Amino acid sequence: MKWLKDHLVISLLIGLVVVVSAIIVIVVVNNKPEIKEENFAIKTDGYYVYKGSDAWYQITFKDDATFLYEPWYCPKSACGGGGDESGTYKIDGKIININIPAHYTDGDPVIDDIELIPEKNYQITIISDKQITLNDEEYIWQKDNMFDEYEE
């Protein structure tokens, strides 16, 4: 009889361990931590620069959620830029949504050279605080303007 009682107690303990283990597994599986997509950081000092073979481009983000986009069509020369555009940005996860409102081109009103440019919207992907991509072009952050070499 003692043998039967000992086996019964052991069986109950094993059963209890199995049930408790199953409950723990169920609780852990059903309570996975939620992974929240957080906003990534970008720098609001300095410039994000893309240096193409025919032109260089820089984007400056400001703390007030505005930005400036400046193309330079003669890299390392004095011909200057053209077509500067500005607007607002909003960061959503690792995406920066850019809005450039409708605006008129700079032109000479005497020769009727002004035209309305429609609103534009773009998405920029944040790779890191020193690297973003726009239209598959990689912009690298640098502290000084685009005519300086990329900083490491």
Side-chain angles (χ1 to χ4, degrees):
M1 190 81 160
K2 181 168 177 13
W3 176 84
L4 183 59
K5 187 177 174 183
D6 289 343
H7 278 87
L8 183 59
V9 169
I10 291 172
S11 296
L12 286 174
L13 286 174
I14 291 172
L16 183 60
V17 168
V18 169
V19 169
V20 168
S21 298
I23 290 171
I24 290 171
V25 167
I26 290 169
V27 167
V28 168
V29 168
N30 288 330
N31 288 321
K32 293 179 187 174
E34 289 184 33
I35 299 173
K36 293 182 180 180
E37 178 118 0
E38 296 183 17
N39 283 342
F40 287 71
I42 57 169
K43 294 188 177 285
T44 55
D45 64 335
Y47 308 86
Y48 288 89
V49 178
Y50 168 69
K51 295 181 178 180
S53 60
D54 60 337
W56 290 355
Y57 307 87
Q58 77 182 18
I59 300 173
T60 307
F61 295 102
K62 298 179 182 176
D63 286 325
D64 64 357
T66 61
F67 74 95
L68 179 61
Y69 172 77
E70 301 172 277
W72 289 85
Y73 298 115
C74 303
K76 295 189 177 184
S77 72
C79 78
D84 296 356
E85 294 184 302
S86 62
T88 58
Y89 70 92
K90 182 177 180 186
I91 300 174
D92 184 14
K94 66 179 194 173
I95 301 296
I96 304 172
N97 293 302
I98 298 288
N99 174 264
I100 300 170
H103 60 282
Y104 288 95
T105 59
D106 292 333
D108 185 347
V110 174
I111 58 174
D112 201 26
D113 194 19
I114 298 174
E115 77 177 89
L116 178 64
I117 304 295
E119 176 182 36
K120 298 177 188 176
N121 292 291
Y122 298 101
Q123 287 189 334
I124 294 174
T125 302
I126 302 171
I127 306 302
S128 72
D129 66 338
K130 291 187 176 184
Q131 180 183 359
I132 59 175
T133 59
L134 171 62
N135 300 327
D136 296 325
E137 295 168 339
E138 183 178 298
Y139 286 70
I140 305 295
W141 179 85
Q142 55 190 67
K143 186 172 184 162
D144 295 315
N145 71 33
M146 75 174 90
F147 297 108
D148 295 332
E149 293 301 316
Y150 287 128
E151 295 178 7
E152 296 296 320

